């Protein structure tokens, strides 16, 4: 029930295309859903986060879509660039465990020129 | 600059040896975490600490130990009891663990290899 399932495990997208990464969860108590971006050999960094009171959040080329009834959320990267090539992790948490996150398995994104 | 530092960047250990990974933060965060990262398995929580002199086991604590004697420091010891210690280890911190939605800030990681 504490798991967050992420797919796909790897993704190859052409420059300018849309990258889509999906996550699903079971615990309905989760109410905070961040996405982290990790470049090779580095620590992850927060990219964008959403709470379930909204269905979508956009920051530049990055958008989170959230479907509360389906218990799913996804990251969309518009106009994907080679510099976006990285591993992306979704995560989930609750207000009472605000700093303790449950991470998905990660998606390795490669954007080809 | 505020942030999290981990040392060393690379660490090699012989089987049967204990090794200690360093993690220091100057963000004045109360909470600190240790994760292990293996390919295809995401980040798995080893230990976390919400306050000085207190820490809790995460999902994969067996074979590891920690201490939290100072707010800014949270070292991780990988003991000889850890059967498969080769991995990338990440330290993180956040303002606190409960009562709000807190961003975790990560260090650059330590890659441990058992020879």
């Amino acid at each position: 029930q504490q798991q967050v399932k992420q797919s796909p495990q790897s993704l190859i997208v052409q420059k300018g295309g849309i990258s889509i990464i999906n996550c699903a969860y079971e615990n309905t108590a989760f109410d905070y859903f961040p996405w982290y971006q990790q470049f090779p050999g580095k620590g992850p960094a927060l990219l964008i986060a959403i709470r379930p009171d909204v269905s979508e959040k956009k920051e530049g080329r990055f958008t989170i879509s959230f479907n509360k009834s389906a218990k799913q959320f996804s990251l969309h990267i518009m106009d994907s660039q080679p510099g976006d090539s990285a591993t992306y992790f979704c995560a989930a948490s609750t207000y009472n465990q605000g700093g303790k996150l449950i991470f998905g398995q990660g998606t390795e994104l490669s954007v080809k020129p | 600059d505020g942030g999290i530092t981990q040392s060393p960047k690379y660490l090699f250990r012989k089987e049967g040896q204990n090794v200690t990974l360093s993690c220091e933060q100057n963000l004045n965060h109360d909470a600190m975490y240790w994760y292990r990262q293996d390919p295809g398995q995401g980040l798995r929580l080893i230990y976390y600490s919400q306050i000085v002199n207190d820490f809790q086991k995460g999902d994969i604590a067996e074979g590891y130990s920690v201490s939290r004697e100072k707010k800014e420091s949270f070292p991780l010891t990988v003991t000889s009891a850890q059967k498969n210690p080769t991995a990338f280890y990440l330290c993180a911190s956040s303002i606190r663990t409960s009562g709000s939605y807190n961003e975790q800030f990560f260090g650059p990681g330590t890659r441990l290899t058992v020879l």
Side-chain angles (χ1 to χ4, degrees), chain B residues 39-53:
Chain B
Q41 295 197 49
L43 279 68
R44 293 183 291 169
L45 183 64
I46 304 173
Y47 269 97
Y48 67 103
S49 169
Q50 300 180 73
I51 197 170
V52 173
N53 292 324

Side-chain angles (χ1 to χ4, degrees), chain A residues 9 31-32 36 38 41-44 46 51 89 95-101 103-105, chain B residues 9 33 35 37 40 42-43 45 48 90 96-104 106-108:
Chain A
Q9 187 171 353
D31 56 5
Y32 174 61
Y36 281 78
Q38 183 182 30
K42 306 293 184 183
L46 180 66
R51 291 172 52 188
F89 293 96
Y95 183 81
N96 288 332
Q97 294 185 317
K100 187 181 174 193
L101 298 169
F103 284 90
Q105 295 83 356
Chain B
K9 186 173 178 65
Y33 313 80
Y35 293 92
Q37 184 174 16
L43 279 68
L45 183 64
Y48 67 103
L90 287 159
R96 52 185 174 272
T97 60
S98 65
S100 61
Y101 303 101
N102 302 312
E103 176 181 356
Q104 281 194 22
F106 284 83

Side-chain angles (χ1 to χ4, degrees), chain A residues 7-13 18-21 86 107-111:
Chain A
S7 63
Q9 187 171 353
S10 63
L11 181 62
I12 299 175
V13 174
I18 302 173
S19 304
I20 301 174
I21 304 170
T107 296
E108 189 173 348
L109 171 66
S110 178
V111 181

Side-chain angles (χ1 to χ4, degrees), chain A residues 13-82:
Chain A
V13 174
Q14 291 296 122
K15 179 182 176 181
I18 302 173
S19 304
I20 301 174
I21 304 170
N22 301 299
C23 286
Y25 62 97
E26 290 294 325
N27 186 354
T28 55
F30 286 147
D31 56 5
Y32 174 61
F33 302 92
W35 285 88
Y36 281 78
Q37 179 187 54
Q38 183 182 30
F39 293 105
K42 306 293 184 183
L46 180 66
L47 184 64
I48 186 173
I50 196 169
R51 291 172 52 188
D53 51 348
V54 296
S55 60
E56 186 176 282
K57 182 174 182 179
K58 183 176 181 179
E59 290 185 4
R61 297 184 293 108
F62 300 90
T63 300
I64 300 179
S65 297
F66 184 81
N67 186 330
K68 189 174 182 179
S69 61
K71 292 184 285 187
Q72 296 175 349
F73 58 109
S74 60
L75 177 69
H76 296 234
I77 305 175
M78 311 300 287
D79 187 25
S80 298
Q81 299 297 313

Side-chain angles (χ1 to χ4, degrees), chain B residues 29-42:
Chain B
H29 285 172
D30 291 313
M32 298 187 74
Y33 313 80
W34 272 106
Y35 293 92
R36 170 180 172 140
Q37 184 174 16
D38 297 282
Q41 295 197 49

